[in-house]
Structures are given as structure tokens and as C-alpha cells.
Amino acid sequence: MVLGKVIGSVVATQKDESLVGKKLMLVKAIDLEGNLLEPFVVAVDVVGVGIGEKVLVVNGSSARMTDETRERSIDSVIVAKVDSINIS
Amino acid sequence: MVLGKVIGSVVATQKDESLVGKKLMLVKAIDLEGNLLEPFVVAVDVVGVGIGEKVLVVNGSSARMTDETRERSIDSVIVAKVDSINIS
Amino acid sequence: MVLGKVIGSVVATQKDESLVGKKLMLVKAIDLEGNLLEPFVVAVDVVGVGIGEKVLVVNGSSARMTDETRERSIDSVIVAKVDSINIS
Amino acid sequence: MVLGKVIGSVVATQKDESLVGKKLMLVKAIDLEGNLLEPFVVAVDVVGVGIGEKVLVVNGSSARMTDETRERSIDSVIVAKVDSINIS
Amino acid sequence: MVLGKVIGSVVATQKDESLVGKKLMLVKAIDLEGNLLEPFVVAVDVVGVGIGEKVLVVNGSSARMTDETRERSIDSVIVAKVDSINIS
């Protein structure tokens, strides 16, 4: 899973039926201190996160293993809100 | 999903039957301001987009989860036309 | 598989049911001498590793082929603790 | 799909049965003007292309969706010979 | 498939049952002249290769399509020993 921060959202009316009713969030990768990195992805939110929150993103076929995304044309999904990052 | 802009198309006559009848579009990655980035991909259009439009591209096995691409040798598909990008 | 070192963990309460009860470890990529590299990933631990240990990480759909991760929305898993790296 | 140019081939006698009888071509990525880029891949040719031709390469699990590659240990396949690239 | 050279091996006692009895080889990417590049991967050897040999590596779900790796948590496999690279 990739660590990221929710920075916005995307609106798309004309789309494949796979995406109908899905919340499309903009997630930027972050480093371990929480600083924003360059890469970003548009991911479907299945846990209910808000702007500015740290999240875990699952990519690829595993992104279709949640109830909301199963067998849909979705390759990126927010699967968790991160409470804390613990470096030892 | 990856954010991109449609910049052209590809014509291929000699091809695997997976691709017969599919529209092959050139999509360049864009940043959050809509500026073109270097990476580009050839993606099958399943929503009907035009040149210059911002789109969402799904890659990998999830690209086969639309009605038009199912079980085909296709690893990149345009699944949505982007209306707006909202940064908070 | 990717070579990495466990450097910490992530706590997430609000998450998809795929991740319930899973240990989420922070793993940084390492070079062949064991030096930490920049990329890192959050991976589910299925073998019981500790902080500072060298591990092998499986990514993508193969990350769902362990008993603990099957059919879950997980794309990165620690599948082994590395005893030694032998360069010839 | 990735745009590339066929620059050579690979011979391998000792191999998994997945690859028996398959033509292994060297394909270098190209930019939109047809200039060779650094990355290259070894891809199975299922359409019959020649050296110097521009092609489309499918990677990942979708590379197994042609009749010649189904259920084989192949992650890269040439699915089309490119006739023209049209930038608008 | 990716072109690489076998440079060593990895020993791991504590591991997922997917990896039991599998030979874990260190493979470094090479360029077309055979020079070692930076990226490396730990791949399961299913064809019987030796240190210093040039090989083809299959990554992702296709790495599970050999008899030895089927349905295992393995995302990288050596599928061939390369006899020659022919650039035209």
C-alpha cells in the first residue's frame, strides 16, 4: 500500500458505468514525515475520508477486492485512514 | 486512475483480434494544473472523448473490466472525461 | 520480490474490512549492502518480522496468495525474513 | 499500451515451457516522434512484425489475453504494428 | 520480460509456505550490451540457471503461470537462460 494525503477530488459526468456513484479523490504521495511528494493518483474512496487526511492507497487488481469496487474498472482505492506512522 | 489529456490517436491495421474495432488514443499524463508531462500511453477509449479533453485512464487488469475491453489484450483504457479537478 | 528493511508500522482504525486484524509494516527498499533507499511501502506482515529486519516483499496480485491475504484488498505483503544475501 | 520499436531479438534454449515456440523480440520505447528512448523490454510477437517497425506492447496480465499467450508465463506481448501516430 | 544477470542468491528460513523449496536468486537488470544496471529483483528460478548467466525475468501475475509457482505468493520468476541478444 502507498502512503498518501487527500488533496482534492475529481468530477466526471461522462464515464464508464464502473465509476458511477464512486467518489474520486486526488491523493498525493507523502514521505514518512508527511511532506507531499510529486506523484499523485485518482483513487476511489471506500472508507469515507476527508481532505487533508493521510490515507493508504491500494493499486492494481487488489483495488477491486472491496465490496464497492469488485469487478469494476478501478485500479486505485483508498482502503484506510492513517491514524499514526510509527518509525522505530 | 491516472489523470491525462488526449493528444492524438494511433492507427494499426495489423493487430491482435483483441484490438479490432477499438479506438486507440494517445494520452499524455498531466499535472494538477493541466500541464502536459512527459509520460504517455496508448489507451482504448470506451466513453467517447475528443482531442484535448482531460480524462481518467485505468491501467493493468482493471482495464479489462469494461464491457468493451473484457478478456481482451488491453492494459490501458479511458474510463472517464474529467469535468473538473478540485484542489482544496 | 523486493528486498527491504522493516523501519516501523502504521496504525489505521477506519479501514476497509480487508485490512481488519492485519499488521501494517513500513518497509524501506534497501540496496545489496543493506543501505536504505528512498522508496518505501506499507506491507502486511504474514511471517512475523521485527523492526530492523531484512525482508522480502511481494507486490501486486501475488500479494493475495497467502492464507492471510487471500481475496483481500492488499497489494503488498512481507513473505520472508532474509537470513543472508550472497553475492558471487 | 506502450509505443515501441522492434530493434532485435533474443534466443533462449533453456526455458520454461510457457515460452516454447514463442518469438522473443527486443522492443525499445519510443517518443511521439519515433526517437528511441532508454527503456526496453523482451516481448512475445503475436502479430508478425519485423525489425525497425513501430509496435504497441501490452504488459502485465493483459499480455496473456491473446490466443498464443493464454495462461503462459508471459508478461509482455506485441499486439499491433503501428501504421501511423496522429498528433492533433 | 526483463533482461537480467544472476549475481547471487538469498537465504530465508522464516517465510510463507509459498516460498518453501524455491530457489531465490538475485537478478540485476542489464542493458543491451550486458552491463549491469542499478535495479535488481529477487526472483524464483524455475529453469536452473547459474551465477553470471543472462536471464529473462517475468514479473507480476504472469510469474505464477509456471508449474513451480502456480498460485503462490511469488511475483518474479526466471523463465529462461538467454543464449544470445541480437540487435539488428
Side-chain angles (χ1 to χ4, degrees):
Chain A
M1 282 69 76
V2 175
L3 204 56
K5 186 180 262 186
V6 182
I7 59 159
S9 60
V10 168
V11 177
T13 312
Q14 187 178 335
K15 60 194 164 194
D16 186 70
E17 61 187 37
S18 281
L19 294 179
V20 173
K22 302 303 170 195
K23 281 202 301 179
L24 300 170
M25 308 305 280
L26 277 167
V27 182
K28 258 202 152 183
I30 56 174
D31 64 20
L32 293 169
E33 286 75 45
N35 302 308
L36 294 174
L37 301 174
E38 272 309 302
F40 67 93
V41 76
V42 178
V44 170
D45 177 17
V46 300
V47 286
V49 297
I51 302 292
E53 288 183 331
K54 289 177 189 163
V55 295
L56 291 181
V57 174
V58 163
N59 292 304
S61 61
S62 296
R64 301 196 307 271
M65 296 292 135
T66 76
D67 287 347
E68 273 204 46
T69 57
R70 207 169 307 275
E71 292 180 29
R72 290 173 182 272
S73 192
I74 289 167
D75 62 0
S76 205
V77 62
I78 297 170
V79 291
K81 177 187 161 197
V82 171
D83 295 324
S84 65
I85 301 169
N86 310 302
I87 314 287
S88 302
Chain B
M1 281 71 74
V2 174
L3 204 56
K5 185 179 264 185
V6 182
I7 60 160
S9 60
V10 168
V11 177
T13 313
Q14 187 178 333
K15 60 194 164 194
D16 186 71
E17 61 187 35
S18 281
L19 294 179
V20 173
K22 302 304 169 196
K23 282 202 301 177
L24 300 170
M25 307 306 279
L26 277 167
V27 182
K28 256 199 156 187
I30 56 174
D31 65 20
L32 294 169
E33 286 75 43
N35 302 308
L36 294 174
L37 302 174
E38 273 309 302
F40 67 93
V41 75
V42 178
V44 170
D45 177 17
V46 300
V47 286
V49 297
I51 302 293
E53 290 184 330
K54 288 177 190 164
V55 295
L56 290 181
V57 173
V58 163
N59 292 304
S61 62
S62 295
R64 300 196 308 270
M65 295 291 134
T66 76
D67 287 347
E68 272 204 46
T69 58
R70 208 169 305 276
E71 291 181 30
R72 290 173 182 272
S73 191
I74 289 166
D75 62 0
S76 205
V77 63
I78 298 171
V79 292
K81 176 187 161 197
V82 171
D83 296 326
S84 65
I85 300 169
N86 310 301
I87 313 287
S88 302
Chain C
M1 283 68 77
V2 175
L3 204 56
K5 185 179 264 186
V6 182
I7 60 160
S9 60
V10 167
V11 177
T13 313
Q14 187 178 336
K15 59 195 164 194
D16 186 70
E17 61 187 37
S18 281
L19 294 180
V20 172
K22 303 301 170 196
K23 281 202 300 178
L24 300 170
M25 308 305 280
L26 277 167
V27 181
K28 257 202 154 182
I30 55 175
D31 64 21
L32 294 168
E33 287 75 44
N35 302 308
L36 294 174
L37 301 174
E38 272 310 302
F40 68 93
V41 75
V42 178
V44 170
D45 177 17
V46 300
V47 286
V49 297
I51 302 293
E53 289 184 329
K54 289 176 190 166
V55 295
L56 290 181
V57 174
V58 163
N59 292 304
S61 61
S62 296
R64 302 198 305 272
M65 296 291 136
T66 77
D67 287 347
E68 272 204 47
T69 57
R70 208 170 305 278
E71 292 181 29
R72 290 174 181 271
S73 192
I74 289 167
D75 63 359
S76 205
V77 63
I78 297 171
V79 291
K81 176 187 159 197
V82 172
D83 295 325
S84 64
I85 301 169
N86 310 302
I87 312 287
S88 301
Chain D
M1 281 70 75
V2 174
L3 204 56
K5 185 179 265 184
V6 182
I7 59 159
S9 60
V10 167
V11 177
T13 313
Q14 188 178 333
K15 60 195 164 193
D16 186 70
E17 60 187 36
S18 281
L19 294 179
V20 172
K22 303 303 170 196
K23 282 203 300 178
L24 301 170
M25 307 305 280
L26 277 168
V27 181
K28 256 201 153 183
I30 56 174
D31 65 20
L32 293 169
E33 286 75 42
N35 303 307
L36 294 174
L37 302 174
E38 273 310 301
F40 67 94
V41 76
V42 179
V44 170
D45 177 18
V46 300
V47 287
V49 296
I51 302 293
E53 289 184 330
K54 287 176 192 167
V55 296
L56 291 181
V57 174
V58 162
N59 292 305
S61 61
S62 295
R64 301 197 307 271
M65 296 292 135
T66 76
D67 288 346
E68 273 203 47
T69 57
R70 208 169 306 277
E71 292 181 27
R72 290 174 182 272
S73 190
I74 288 166
D75 63 359
S76 205
V77 63
I78 298 171
V79 292
K81 176 188 159 196
V82 171
D83 296 325
S84 64
I85 301 169
N86 310 300
I87 312 288
S88 302
Chain E
M1 282 70 75
V2 175
L3 204 56
K5 185 179 264 184
V6 182
I7 60 160
S9 60
V10 167
V11 177
T13 313
Q14 187 179 334
K15 60 195 164 193
D16 187 69
E17 60 187 37
S18 281
L19 294 178
V20 173
K22 303 302 171 196
K23 281 203 300 178
L24 300 171
M25 308 305 280
L26 277 167
V27 181
K28 257 201 153 182
I30 56 174
D31 64 21
L32 293 169
E33 287 75 42
N35 303 307
L36 294 174
L37 302 174
E38 273 310 302
F40 68 93
V41 76
V42 179
V44 170
D45 177 17
V46 300
V47 287
V49 298
I51 302 292
E53 289 184 330
K54 288 176 189 165
V55 295
L56 291 181
V57 174
V58 163
N59 291 305
S61 61
S62 295
R64 301 197 306 270
M65 296 291 135
T66 76
D67 287 347
E68 272 203 48
T69 57
R70 209 171 304 278
E71 293 182 28
R72 290 173 182 272
S73 191
I74 289 167
D75 62 0
S76 205
V77 63
I78 298 171
V79 291
K81 176 188 159 196
V82 172
D83 296 324
S84 65
I85 301 170
N86 310 301
I87 313 287
S88 301

